[in-house]
Structure formats: structure tokens, C-alpha cells
Amino acid sequence: MIADVNELIYRAMTMADIPAIVDIEHEAFSSPWTAEAFTNELMNNMFARYMIMEYERQVIGYGGMWIIMDEAHVTNIAVRADFRGQGLGSCLLLEMQRTAVFFGAAKMTLEVRPSNEVAQQLYRKYGFEPAGIRPRYYSDNNEDALIMWAELDQVRLKAGEQ
């Protein structure tokens, strides 16, 4: 299905969104988070900020991050399989960066599988640069994680222009 990016709605994740989010997790990841993990994030983690991307009243993507001091740590970002390849991941990541700036973040970090070239290309497009390796980070296959960081200066400048 082709989504009109001008019709996307971004909003805070609620408990009612968790079943749809878990479905997307299973489509996107070999080690998906559970409903309990998302419940814990929403109910018990004061640093957590989770957002939904909706199209025509359907949850088609989501992103999560922890904002601690002036750093935003991306925990998850995914788009429903039927909507991939349309640049919606870019839209979602940019909205996450804007949200991080709104909450006071000056930089953003994430981990990505070295084998996930598609994700790395997206992150580089939005200013992320490799900064290190977390050995055997992924529990499903002990793959390392590539740590990437982005400065949010450009996002702050663009937000100030609006």
C-alpha cells in the first residue's frame, strides 16, 4: 500500500497501541520485544518516549527512545512490512529527532546490526556516524552492534526556523 506522507499522523504511544506494535515487532525483528516490555516502558520508564506513525487510522510504524539529560537513545524504530520502501522510515526518524530536540536532546545514539545495511544507510542520511562496537550485542545470533551517534544541531536549527 502506498501512503501519502502528507496524511501521516504522529502521536504518543498508548497502552491500546501495544498489540499493533507487537505485530510490527514480529514483522521487523528476529528478536522482537514483547507486549510486557512495551507495557513496562510506557508505565515504568520515566525516560521513555514512544511515538506512533498512523496512516488512515492504522498504526503503520513506531519509534522509541530514552531521553536522558541531553542524549536520546533510540530503542526501536520500525515500519509495517506493507509500507516499507516508501521513505516512511525517514519520516519517522526525522520526527523522532524533532521530538528529541523538543525534550532537550543535543545528540542521538542507537545500535544497529552491521549486517543491516538498509538501516545504516537511513541513519547516515540523518547524520549518524559509526562510533564503536558492542560485542555480541544481539542475543539471537551473538552479532555485534554498531554504535552510531548523530548531533542534532541541524534539527534544532530547522525547528527554530519554523
Side-chain angles (χ1 to χ4, degrees):
M1 175 180 265
I2 304 295
D4 179 349
V5 296
N6 296 312
E7 300 293 320
L8 295 174
I9 295 172
Y10 302 96
R11 62 172 175 79
M13 184 187 294
T14 68
M15 297 293 286
D17 296 314
I18 291 177
I21 297 311
V22 170
D23 287 345
I24 296 171
E25 275 283 301
H26 283 273
E27 290 177 6
F29 302 112
S30 57
S31 293
W33 280 25
T34 63
E36 293 77 21
F38 285 105
T39 299
N40 186 56
E41 286 290 282
L42 293 180
M43 300 298 290
N44 301 317
N45 185 346
M46 65 183 203
F47 301 111
R49 299 282 180 263
Y50 283 80
M51 100 176 14
I52 297 297
M53 181 171 58
E54 279 185 337
Y55 181 69
E56 295 182 344
R57 299 180 189 234
Q58 178 186 0
V59 175
I60 64 167
Y62 75 96
M65 61 189 153
W66 298 342
I67 300 177
I68 303 171
M69 305 289 283
D70 68 342
E71 295 178 2
H73 184 129
V74 175
T75 56
N76 336 53
I77 183 170
V79 173
R80 190 170 289 284
D82 293 351
F83 288 89
R84 291 189 195 139
Q86 301 179 43
L88 300 178
S90 291
C91 295
L92 183 54
L93 183 57
L94 180 58
E95 191 66 23
M96 289 178 70
Q97 287 185 322
R98 288 177 178 150
T99 300
V101 167
F102 176 80
F103 283 105
K107 50 194 163 194
M108 182 175 263
T109 187
L110 52 77
E111 291 90 7
V112 61
R113 291 178 189 263
S115 61
N116 192 344
E117 292 290 337
V118 172
Q120 287 181 52
Q121 285 179 341
L122 169 65
Y123 302 145
R124 283 187 174 93
K125 180 179 170 184
Y126 286 90
F128 286 87
E129 296 178 3
I133 298 287
R134 291 196 199 285
R136 299 177 304 285
Y137 182 79
Y138 293 100
S139 60
D140 62 331
N141 65 358
N142 288 322
E143 185 175 1
D144 294 345
L146 176 62
I147 304 164
M148 300 183 82
W149 282 91
E151 298 290 331
L152 299 177
D153 295 344
Q154 289 303 111
V155 176
R156 278 199 304 277
L157 289 174
K158 289 177 185 170
E161 293 170 3
Q162 297 174 353

